[in-house]
Amino acid sequence: MKVVGGSASVSLARGIAKDLSATLVDAASERHPGGFPDGERYVRLLAPVAGDHVVLVQTTHPDPMIVELFLLADAIRDGGADRITAVIPYYGYGRQDKRFLEGEAVSAKTIAKHVAVDCDELLTMAIPANPEILKTFPLPARDVSGMAAIGRYLKSVRVDALLAPDRGALRLVKEASVVAGVPFDFLEKKRIDSYTVKIEPKALAVEGKSVAIVDDVISTGGTIATAAKELRRQGARRVIAACVHGLFVDKAEANLKACDDVIATDTIQSKFTKVSVASEFAAAIRALG
Ligand code: R5P
């Protein structure tokens, strides 16, 4: 087995290769030796993959990383790989799983259709859409949980309780709480617009406690900031924000000042990446057989 990492996921690919005792195949990317002044992506595999089962790891965010994924998949297939497993740690364009208005693209499926051109199966993590969408993809696809990795980290920093900022995060928080060995609670969130959320008043048993708010994605940080303020108001001693995917857009950094610490996994590499989900993906790859 060989592992190739696109430039959005180099470090995670290295971790997956190590866990699987597989060879990491370096790939050159970004700049054509002759130079593409218009900014087009360039990829080149730096070792042969003929006859191999290749695991291709690449997050589809930001947009140029999608093109890079398709170029790498094509180069691997043309290089004679026997089987290609696409690992898309953060599935950018995974939010839209329905056609709300006539003429719209169902973007989660659009990406999958293109992945299926060269890849045989797909693994992702905490896809923003309803995971049921994976059953409609034109290749076998599975959503791998990263909650054990987050739970282990939160246990190591001794949190007393976990909080889901909305019902959508409840399933994830339940899973993390089993690993962290601490209780959980949840809030009811109402989204006003892309930047503003409101939460329903609710008494939480957090006085003097160290609490981690756990969510699938931190985007603008509005959800986390609102939940953090509520925790402080109710006397929490320490507030940690934990997410699988740290997008951190717009005023996220300012919003996250409401927290004592912020942790994200390596599905998207950022300065807040403190947890690796390499072993979760490696286990899922082994289970593919
Ligand atoms: C949606 O409800 C998701 O689970 C997240 O809570 C949401 O994407 C976070 O977005 P933001 O950081 O912009 O509040």
Side-chain angles (χ1 to χ4, degrees):
M1 187 183 285
K2 289 185 176 161
V3 179
V4 175
S7 57
S9 302
V10 173
S11 149
L12 179 55
R14 193 174 298 123
I16 292 173
K18 190 168 175 222
D19 198 300
L20 292 170
S21 300
T23 307
L24 184 72
V25 172
D26 285 326
S29 60
E30 292 183 24
R31 293 213 164 271
H32 187 276
F36 289 152
D38 54 8
E40 286 182 2
R41 309 302 291 179
Y42 162 84
V43 304
R44 182 177 168 228
L45 300 173
L46 299 178
V49 292
D52 289 314
H53 174 188
V54 178
V55 175
L56 169 58
V57 190
Q58 172 78 328
T59 269
T60 50
H61 171 86
D63 289 6
M65 298 301 119
I66 301 173
V67 178
E68 206 183 282
L69 170 70
F70 297 152
L71 295 176
L72 281 168
D74 215 32
I76 294 166
R77 184 57 80 196
D78 285 352
D82 191 41
R83 174 178 173 188
I84 307 178
T85 304
V87 173
I88 304 184
Y90 171 67
Y91 198 99
Y93 286 87
R95 288 178 196 272
Q96 184 149 10
D97 54 11
K98 282 193 195 78
R99 187 167 283 117
F100 297 97
L101 300 171
E102 203 175 317
E104 285 181 344
V106 181
S107 66
K109 218 166 158 180
T110 309
I111 297 290
K113 283 183 192 164
H114 290 276
V115 172
V117 170
D118 283 308
C119 301
D120 299 293
E121 61 226 338
L122 188 163
L123 298 174
T124 188
M125 184 168 279
I127 188 166
N130 181 340
E132 287 293 305
I133 187 81
L134 299 178
K135 294 184 186 152
T136 71
F137 284 3
L139 74 175
R142 203 194 128 193
D143 196 274
V144 177
S145 174
M147 282 302 123
I150 290 183
R152 284 193 298 272
Y153 180 90
L154 294 175
K155 186 174 187 179
S156 76
V157 296
R158 294 166 194 246
V159 297
D160 302 313
L162 308 186
L163 182 74
D166 53 37
R167 278 188 183 269
L170 194 48
R171 183 178 52 83
L172 305 180
V173 170
K174 274 184 189 168
E175 235 186 283
S177 86
V178 173
V179 179
V182 295
F184 64 89
D185 206 336
F186 68 98
L187 293 169
E188 300 278 2
K189 174 177 98 178
K190 197 171 160 208
R191 186 164 281 287
I192 311 296
D193 58 39
S194 303
Y195 297 89
T196 326
V197 297
K198 267 181 83 173
I199 49 169
E200 296 296 321
K202 179 180 182 185
L204 302 164
V206 294
E207 176 94 50
K209 292 192 175 157
S210 170
V211 185
I213 308 163
V214 181
D215 209 349
D216 56 348
V217 183
I218 297 179
S219 181
T220 66
T223 298
I224 293 287
T226 308
K229 277 176 202 145
E230 185 59 17
L231 285 172
R232 300 270 189 219
R233 199 182 64 76
Q234 298 200 31
R237 172 176 55 80
R238 182 166 158 245
V239 176
I240 296 174
C243 67
V244 181
H245 311 302
L247 284 168
F248 307 120
V249 301
D250 296 330
K251 294 183 182 147
E253 288 213 27
N255 282 333
L256 293 169
K257 292 212 166 98
C259 302
D260 298 297
D261 198 6
V262 180
I263 69 145
T265 76
D266 51 359
T267 59
I268 300 172
Q269 201 64 41
S270 77
K271 69 176 187 182
F272 298 112
T273 298
K274 291 168 191 159
V275 176
S276 178
V277 290
S279 62
E280 276 65 28
F281 277 118
I285 292 162
R286 267 188 222 102
L288 290 171

